[in-house]
Amino acid sequence: MPNRMLSLAPAVAIVAILTASAPCWADEPKPLVAVLVAKSDVAPWEPIEEPEKLFKVVHYLKGEEPRDAVTGFEQVKGRRINCRLTEDQPLKRSHILAESRPAILIGPQDGVRVMAIKISDKSVTEVMVGKRFDIFATFKEAGMEPVTEMMGKNLLVLACDRGEKGGCAFSLVVTPEEGQALSRIGKAVNVQLKLCGVGEKSSAKDGAQAK
């Protein structure tokens, strides 16, 4: 009897090895979750009318998808985002501004256009539709003293749209030249708005700040 048991030992070992290495067919595959990801850089504050042109669908295993991820084009269609997205960056619900009815004054006239700029909520108590502002931006290069430049003069606020996290996007009526100058504002370390008095020259006393 002991000899018979010894002869069976190699066979038992082989069966154990094969069982351990065999795939577990009983485990069900994890479902996939569709997540919207930026095709390329996506600018903030602009209405997203055709999200299919800006975002692609990437599938993640359920449980491994980015937290708070947007899973369908309809969730962002016609909305705005509060930050710039880079290529292949997943879109999250926290990136989408809350739906609100923006205040709108008038449409732009010939020769001008509308440009949106973000200012922190605490700094825009004086930013209201129909008012005009001078805009100053402070730039600082490494090893250099800060330099403040006027980016726009007597600019009209056309619309104001507050975000759910306190940010405020407001639209300015600008000429192409003013728009080109304001395009540098994203590199500024500080932005300051100076409220202009009605029928008066630009005032340097009252204003709002964005950092």
Side-chain angles (χ1 to χ4, degrees):
M1 182 64 68
N3 291 336
R4 184 178 179 183
M5 292 182 63
L6 289 175
S7 63
L8 291 175
V12 172
I14 293 173
V15 171
I17 294 174
L18 292 175
T19 303
S21 60
C24 185
W25 301 107
D27 291 345
E28 296 183 0
K30 290 185 178 180
L32 298 177
V33 177
V35 174
L36 298 193
V37 173
K39 290 183 178 180
S40 58
D41 289 1
V42 180
W45 310 106
E46 297 294 335
I48 300 175
E49 301 299 341
E50 298 180 283
E52 297 84 356
K53 293 184 177 181
L54 301 176
F55 300 96
K56 59 186 177 182
V57 175
V58 174
H59 291 91
Y60 290 78
L61 290 176
K62 187 173 181 59
E64 298 181 8
E65 73 275 14
R67 182 178 299 179
D68 196 37
V70 174
T71 58
F73 291 114
E74 69 283 353
Q75 294 175 263
V76 71
K77 184 177 177 61
R79 307 286 291 277
R80 305 169 190 245
I81 59 175
N82 57 20
C83 62
R84 179 176 295 277
L85 298 182
T86 58
E87 184 177 359
D88 292 329
Q89 182 176 353
L91 175 64
K92 298 183 177 182
R93 287 188 289 270
S94 58
H95 293 151
I96 302 176
L97 289 172
E99 288 186 287
S100 62
R101 182 177 298 175
I104 299 177
L105 181 67
I106 57 172
Q109 301 174 352
D110 293 339
V112 297
R113 59 182 179 177
V114 177
M115 184 173 188
I117 295 178
K118 177 187 175 184
I119 298 294
S120 65
D121 188 51
K122 294 181 180 180
S123 305
V124 295
T125 54
E126 295 299 324
V127 177
M128 297 176 64
V129 173
K131 290 189 176 182
R132 291 181 177 271
F133 291 84
D134 294 341
I135 299 182
F136 298 84
T138 301
F139 300 92
K140 188 178 187 308
E141 297 184 7
M144 304 290 289
E145 291 294 323
V147 177
T148 300
E149 302 178 18
M150 175 179 277
M151 310 300 292
K153 183 177 178 63
N154 199 34
L155 300 181
L156 175 67
V157 176
L158 180 67
C160 182
D161 190 6
R162 293 182 181 275
E164 61 181 354
K165 290 194 173 182
C168 179
F170 65 97
S171 301
L172 301 171
V173 179
V174 299
T175 64
E177 293 77 15
E178 290 168 337
Q180 184 174 4
L182 286 169
S183 65
R184 300 173 50 224
I185 213 166
K187 298 180 180 179
V189 296
N190 185 57
V191 179
Q192 190 171 18
L193 277 66
K194 304 293 186 180
L195 179 63
C196 301
V198 178
E200 299 177 358
K201 293 183 178 180
S202 302
S203 171
K205 293 182 180 180
D206 298 321
Q209 255 185 6
K211 294 183 179 180

